[in-house]
């Protein structure tokens, strides 16, 4: 087995896992703006929990996609071109969500805020569902021909695997967000978020568990089943810790669940990076889809320098903004006064 393609396959899997872990609670908080928060004050609290970190979390998405493009250009080209329509909606969801974060508080108007709240909630849902569908399809397959081109119409990608992956990421994001809010807030929101975790964790994680079990059953090895078992224990631990008010351990348990589950999913399909549902001989693997050894070697040198710096910076950011957020800390809502006069 080729060493550098294997290393970059593992690194890309880690990048996607890191994105789902960090952006997962971020997108979940966005969806909970309409599903959980009861009034404007609570929505402001929710926004303030992710306000300092949401844009940094999205860097993981860019990094994961960029690593695919550089290390496995055929994987990137086949996947992103086949999923052109859903990925456009993902981008639109992220754009509307980002704009809503910035503009929601500019005017003290209920109608104004309500429109941006829907933009945040729907943008978060569409983004989470689309990313989940894409990741599910890259592990279960697309109708690709010998050249790696999609066969069929623009919706040939649509399958129940795509729906399963979409709901897997949406469900995990909602549970992860509730655990995050229990960890980052105080007062009534904290208590309700903790109850939300204990009540809905089994339901929210079920699609992701089904995804990893199906892949492990179809393609997995012994280590894959061990990872599934680890993820099950971690999910149970997260549920128990939430019930006992141990928010930090609950949040960590969900992280271990995601890490073990992601390793089971990617490990089950390795060394295939994108299966063809038409013919197994047309599968894209780490061997036939990777860049040249020179390119991978140069990327490895850059990654050894850049990745630790990015991780250190992001850890520092979370440390600086580690305190809990409560409604009593928020100033009164008011219109934003323009910095430049209009006279």
């Amino acid at each position: 087995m080729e060493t550098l393609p294997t290393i970059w396959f593992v690194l890309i899997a880690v990048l996607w896992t890191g994105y789902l872990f960090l952006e997962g609670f971020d997108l979940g908080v966005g969806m909970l703006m309409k599903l959980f928060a009861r009034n404007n004050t609570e929505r402001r609290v929710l926004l303030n929990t992710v306000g300092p970190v949401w844009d940094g979390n999205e860097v993981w998405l860019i990094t994961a996609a960029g690593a695919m493009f550089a290390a496995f250009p055929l994987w990137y080209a086949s996947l992103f071109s086949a999923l052109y329509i859903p990925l456009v909606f993902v981008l639109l969801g992220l754009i509307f969500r980002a704009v809503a974060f910035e503009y929601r508080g500019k005017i003290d108007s209920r109608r104004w805020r309500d429109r941006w709240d829907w933009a945040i909630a729907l943008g978060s849902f569409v983004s989470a569902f689309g990313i989940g569908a894409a990741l599910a399809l890259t592990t279960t397959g697309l109708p690709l021909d010998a050249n790696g081109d999609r066969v069929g119409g623009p919706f040939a990608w649509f399958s129940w695997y795509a729906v399963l992956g979409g709901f897997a990421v949406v469900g995990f994001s909602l549970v992860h967000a509730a655990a995050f809010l229990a960890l980052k807030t105080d007062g009534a929101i904290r208590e309700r978020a903790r109850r939300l975790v204990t009540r809905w964790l089994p339901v929210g994680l079920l699609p992701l568990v089904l995804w990893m079990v199906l892949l492990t059953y179809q393609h997995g090895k012994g280590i894959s089943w061990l990872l599934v078992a680890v993820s099950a224990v971690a999910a149970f631990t997260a549920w128990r810790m939430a019930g006992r008010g141990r928010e930090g351990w609950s949040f960590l348990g969900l992280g271990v669940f995601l890490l073990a589950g992601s390793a089971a999913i990617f490990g089950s399909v390795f060394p295939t990076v994108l299966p063809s549902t038409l013919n197994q001989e047309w599968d894209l693997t780490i061997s036939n889809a990777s860049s040249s050894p020179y390119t991978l070697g140069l990327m490895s040198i850059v990654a050894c320098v850049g990745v630790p710096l990015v991780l250190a910076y992001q850890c520092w950011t979370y440390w600086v903004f580690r305190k809990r957020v409560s409604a009593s800390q928020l100033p009164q809502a008011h219109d934003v006064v323009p910095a430049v006069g209009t006279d």
Side-chain angles (χ1 to χ4, degrees), residues 29-47:
V29 168
M31 288 183 276
L32 290 177
M33 289 281 288
K34 283 297 184 181
L35 298 174
F36 177 81
R38 296 176 175 175
N39 50 52
N40 181 48
T41 300
E42 292 192 352
R43 294 186 180 96
R44 292 177 65 198
V45 171
L46 265 61
L47 286 178

Side-chain angles (χ1 to χ4, degrees), residues 182-186 190 247 322-326 329:
L183 180 65
K184 283 289 295 178
T185 62
D186 215 344
R190 177 184 179 184
E247 293 98 345
R322 66 188 182 277
K323 299 296 184 180
R324 292 182 181 270
V325 180
S326 64
Q329 300 171 340

Side-chain angles (χ1 to χ4, degrees), residues 23-304:
E23 187 80 343
F25 69 76
D26 194 333
L27 295 172
V29 168
M31 288 183 276
L32 290 177
M33 289 281 288
K34 283 297 184 181
L35 298 174
F36 177 81
R38 296 176 175 175
N39 50 52
N40 181 48
T41 300
E42 292 192 352
R43 294 186 180 96
R44 292 177 65 198
V45 171
L46 265 61
L47 286 178
N48 276 269
T49 61
V50 299
V53 297
W54 69 268
D55 48 355
N57 293 341
E58 290 186 354
V59 171
W60 286 75
L61 173 62
I62 300 172
T63 306
M68 289 175 61
F69 172 77
F72 299 98
L74 295 182
W75 180 13
Y76 176 92
S78 296
L79 179 67
F80 279 61
S81 61
L83 302 180
Y84 188 85
I85 291 179
L87 290 180
V88 166
F89 281 99
V90 168
L91 290 177
L92 289 175
L94 292 174
I95 291 171
F96 273 98
R97 184 170 171 270
V99 172
F101 276 139
E102 299 297 333
Y103 278 82
R104 181 188 185 275
K106 300 300 184 184
I107 299 177
D108 186 18
S109 165
R110 182 175 180 178
R111 177 178 296 181
W112 172 270
R113 289 192 299 264
D114 189 59
R115 291 173 179 174
W116 291 119
D117 288 343
W118 276 112
I120 294 173
L122 293 178
S124 299
F125 173 80
V126 170
S127 301
F129 190 91
I131 292 296
L135 292 177
L137 291 172
T138 199
T139 57
T140 58
L142 286 166
L144 304 177
D145 61 18
N147 295 320
D149 298 326
R150 183 198 66 216
V151 176
F155 294 97
W157 55 270
F158 187 79
S159 67
W160 79 274
Y161 281 118
V163 176
L164 176 64
F167 280 115
V169 173
V170 169
F172 173 79
S173 297
L174 288 172
V175 173
H176 199 37
F180 175 76
L181 291 175
L183 180 65
K184 283 289 295 178
T185 62
D186 215 344
I189 296 179
R190 177 184 179 184
E191 296 300 322
R192 283 169 38 223
R194 192 174 65 196
R195 290 197 300 268
L196 183 64
V197 176
T198 57
R199 182 176 299 178
W200 291 103
L201 184 146
V203 177
L205 300 187
L206 181 60
L208 185 52
V209 171
L210 182 59
W211 178 9
M212 72 175 76
V213 169
L214 283 174
L215 277 181
T216 303
Y217 176 76
Q218 294 172 356
H219 310 289
K221 303 91 178 171
I223 187 65
S224 300
W225 285 112
L226 177 61
L227 290 169
V228 171
V230 171
S231 67
V233 172
F236 178 77
T237 302
W239 179 70
R240 290 285 293 175
M241 291 299 102
R244 295 178 180 180
R246 306 289 296 274
E247 293 98 345
W249 286 105
S250 177
F251 187 75
L252 180 62
L254 286 171
V256 175
F257 163 81
L258 177 66
L259 179 62
S262 178
I265 290 171
F266 281 100
S268 295
V269 298
F270 178 83
T272 303
V273 296
L274 182 58
S276 171
T277 58
L278 303 179
N279 191 329
Q280 286 187 343
E281 295 181 359
W282 298 339
D283 290 351
L284 297 180
T285 67
I286 64 169
S287 298
N288 62 22
S290 65
S291 295
S292 67
Y294 176 81
T295 300
L296 295 178
L298 183 61
M299 289 174 57
S300 299
I301 296 174
V302 175
C304 287

